[in-house]
Amino acid sequence: MLHKSDYFSSAFQLTFSFHNPDPSVYMELFKIWEKGVSKIANVDGIFVEFLVQPHPVTNGTNMFGLTPERTDDVMIDMTAAYAKKADDVLVQRVIKDIVNKQRALLKSHGYMIDFIYLNYADISQKVLQSWGKDNIAKLRAASKKYDPNGVFQKQVPGGYKIPP
């Protein structure tokens, strides 16, 4: 039997972005999610969040590669929290499968965009690369100018590092 303190000791989260699709596409996204989560319904303490959130509108240039003043971009945050670390492999496999199928559906309809929102991303996702090559070059230039010894890139643990 699980105790309250046993819940949510493990979690996994992925995110991706796209142009706001037709309602029928959302129904397909939910069907993919529903079918996928049925595979982890018996995981102890499972909680799966399927959050659809609008992107903020940018009013000019940005480092994310997003189109300024576009009002119909959205993201999905797919988060699973559960009780036992022993379920990591199963839960992560299922969440990745759901996300991959949803992304493929959106791509097939021309709705996918590259941007990955850093705050919801898993460390395995290529967040900075999703912002575009020109923005990566700007990040490298700023790093070279303000951190010529690469302290943040080489000596600070964790986080997203500017790709080579």
Side-chain angles (χ1 to χ4, degrees):
M1 178 173 190
L2 292 174
H3 299 284
K4 187 175 182 179
S5 63
D6 292 330
Y7 284 88
F8 306 140
S9 63
S10 291
F12 183 66
Q13 181 171 327
L14 294 173
T15 188
F16 58 95
S17 300
F18 53 101
H19 301 306
N20 196 19
D22 297 332
S24 63
V25 175
Y26 276 111
M27 290 305 297
E28 292 302 313
L29 293 172
F30 286 112
K31 287 177 185 176
I32 291 168
W33 176 79
E34 188 174 51
K35 185 176 181 180
V37 295
S38 70
K39 298 172 185 171
I40 53 176
N42 293 325
V43 169
D44 286 337
I46 191 72
F47 167 82
V48 181
E49 176 182 63
F50 176 7
L51 171 71
V52 180
Q53 178 176 318
H55 275 289
V57 177
T58 65
N59 61 0
T61 60
N62 61 79
M63 288 299 295
F64 308 122
L66 296 171
T67 303
E69 299 182 22
R70 187 166 181 117
T71 60
D72 65 341
D73 288 344
V74 293
M75 70 180 105
I76 285 180
D77 168 29
M78 187 76 60
T79 303
Y82 44 100
K84 296 179 181 174
K85 189 151 183 64
D87 291 318
D88 280 354
V89 171
L90 172 63
V91 172
Q92 290 177 18
R93 181 180 49 80
V94 168
I95 296 301
K96 286 177 184 177
D97 186 55
I98 292 169
V99 166
N100 288 339
K101 286 178 179 172
Q102 289 177 328
R103 288 175 54 93
L105 172 72
L106 290 162
K107 186 175 183 177
S108 73
H109 289 286
Y111 291 113
M112 278 301 302
I113 61 175
D114 292 334
F115 176 71
I116 297 173
Y117 182 63
L118 186 140
N119 288 6
Y120 294 162
D122 181 70
I123 195 67
S124 68
Q125 294 187 277
K126 296 184 181 306
V127 172
L128 299 180
Q129 291 90 327
S130 78
W131 298 358
K133 290 181 182 180
D134 290 345
N135 290 327
I136 295 295
K138 290 176 187 175
L139 290 172
R140 272 194 214 105
S143 177
K144 186 176 180 179
K145 180 177 180 179
Y146 297 106
D147 185 22
N149 296 324
V151 172
F152 287 100
Q153 294 302 306
K154 298 173 188 163
Q155 296 178 16
V156 176
Y160 299 92
K161 306 302 182 199
I162 302 170

